[in-house]
Amino acid sequence: MRLLLIHPSALMYSEIFLRLEPLGLERVAGAAREAGHEVRVVDLQVLTVRALAQEVRSFQPEAVGIGLNYLANIPEALDISHAVKREVPGCFVFLGGHSVSFVADDVLEQSRGAVDAVLRGEGEPAVVSLLEALRDGGGVEGVPGAVTTDGRGPAPVMLHSIDSPMPARDLMRHRRKYFIGELDPCASIEFTRGCPWDCSFCSAWTFYGRSYRKASPEAAGHEMASIKEPNVFIVDDVAFIRPEHGHAIADELERRKIRKRYYLETRADVLLRNEEVFQRWAKLGLSYMFLGMEAIDAEGLDLYRKRVSPDDNFRALERARALGIDVAINLIVDPAWDEERFRVVREFALAVPEIVHLTVMTPYPGTEIWHTEARRLTTRDYRLFDIQHAVVPTTLPLDVFYRELVRTQAVINRKHLGLRTAFGALRVLGGNLARGQTNFASMLWKFNRVYNPDRQMADHRRAVRYELPLPPVREAAATDIGDRRRLYVHTRPAPGKASERAAGKAAAPETASPKSAAPEPAEAAPEAGTV
């Protein structure tokens, strides 16, 4: 069958800081192509809507899949679905991905017939099964993870091994437009999938049922060797939880004489516990590290159930500095902040050498705070659920909140791109421009246009056609959701052979107060008693 896969446009923060290749969609494309289907991919992060329209007209796809890792892209995906149906009336349109997995039934209803199915869960084990059912003329109700107007099919199937399929990177046009910060251009790779922690603001653990899977070192080395870009972003939710796995991949890269610059995300406690593997990767080219501190005090860390102390966070920063790794810190902006709290955060950001990013606390479907905060929403416009807008009441008037937010972001931005660092930025900029790379240069000049309170206020005044559904009253009102398995999309990986058969017939197209040690990751989802 002719399959066209689509990635929606970039979100607000992606206009400046990063634009990553759609790795999940590339893996879905790889699975479909291995099964003998003709596949094309359009990434609207780097291509225009006009280019998409031309692709649809010329390719005449029999099936179109739209990847929805981000809730804010749902209105765009629904508009695209209607446009595809008008151009190719017989085309089967389906949605898949992280965020839409939690609101599948509602989005299907909102599409008013433009979407034929939503695939919940991982896409690799489902896409070939879906295409096989379409090719044979049968219904798709039996496809694992499929949701149609007739109801839900079997539970989503989780890959037993993430070694395959290989991402179909060759299908991506304009690969030089993918970057993260000064790593320009930058590819992406996945060494592990899932997260064993249970932060209240995150839906990674609920999507994967707190499971954790590792690619084999041989597969990781083989894939890294196939990447042409000099820079690579390791997309794992938490890198190097298992130090022996990080060392084994390092062995493989050294054996293959692979040398690149790397950017990864991890936790402070993981860095402190497994410093040797990070030290080794720094020698291999690890240049940047993203640490989700989320808060600078114990109260904030308890609120988000990070299971880490402020002291550990600051010790981790010191360790990263000693290793020569540049760190980007994320702090979650609580809508309850007042002007004094913003002032304190600005002082902190100026006092540390690290880059500091701010994201606004947002209750997403699939997170625990969704079930405690959803009834307080001040807007249900999908487009505002991008961690850059406030969607629950703010202590400050909304315009003042945005003024303080942008003021704080601007102070941080000037710290890294002001006169003190101008020569360093120019050196990096000059090197990138010499190689024909302009993404980093463009980032430097866009800040004031993208981040300004007038634009953010105007976003709240846009006409709304698609609204995020609310959870049932009994769930939204609950302060304790009880059995957390009710939040899961996946339960545990299928047994090896069964999972492999399912994949042969078949990640798809938004990341507890006790001070106890962080949980050791299980190879499969733990039982309820361990959650």
Side-chain angles (χ1 to χ4, degrees), residues 7-8 10 14 17-23 25-26 41-47 168-188 229-233 432 437-440:
H7 188 284
S14 298
F17 302 114
L18 56 84
R19 186 187 305 116
L20 301 177
E21 65 174 310
L23 188 61
L25 212 60
E26 292 171 346
V41 182
V42 172
D43 183 0
L44 292 175
Q45 295 181 111
V46 300
L47 292 170
R169 291 188 173 89
D170 59 294
L171 295 180
M172 309 308 299
R173 288 162 278 182
H174 307 296
R175 289 193 58 84
R176 293 177 67 86
K177 290 188 177 293
Y178 299 121
F179 77 105
I180 178 168
E182 68 161 286
L183 299 189
D184 180 13
C186 189
S188 296
E229 286 83 359
N231 309 301
V232 178
F233 178 56
N432 287 343
Q437 290 299 126
T438 61
N439 299 307
F440 181 64

Side-chain angles (χ1 to χ4, degrees), residues 423-461:
F423 289 111
L426 287 173
R427 177 180 53 78
V428 172
L429 177 61
N432 287 343
L433 291 176
R435 296 189 300 272
Q437 290 299 126
T438 61
N439 299 307
F440 181 64
S442 177
M443 179 191 82
L444 302 183
W445 318 123
K446 278 185 176 181
F447 183 87
N448 290 333
R449 177 168 61 82
V450 174
Y451 283 92
N452 67 77
D454 292 337
R455 172 182 172 177
Q456 285 167 296
M457 287 298 295
D459 289 342
H460 284 266
R461 295 191 289 268

Side-chain angles (χ1 to χ4, degrees), residues 265-285:
E265 177 175 357
T266 194
R267 289 173 52 100
D269 47 359
V270 172
L271 171 58
L272 293 173
R273 190 167 59 242
N274 304 329
E275 184 179 350
E276 286 186 1
V277 71
F278 289 96
Q279 184 177 38
R280 184 176 184 186
W281 273 80
K283 294 177 181 177
L284 281 175

Side-chain angles (χ1 to χ4, degrees), residues 285-326:
L286 176 57
S287 303
Y288 287 94
M289 177 187 298
F290 185 88
L291 276 179
M293 284 181 56
E294 322 309 354
I296 59 177
D297 54 31
E299 182 182 3
L301 294 170
D302 285 349
L303 176 65
Y304 302 126
R305 203 164 58 236
K306 283 292 293 185
R307 301 185 189 274
V308 68
S309 71
D311 286 345
D312 283 345
N313 276 335
F314 292 119
R315 284 199 302 127
L317 293 181
E318 292 175 358
R319 296 285 178 87
R321 293 168 196 157
L323 293 175
I325 302 170
D326 290 328

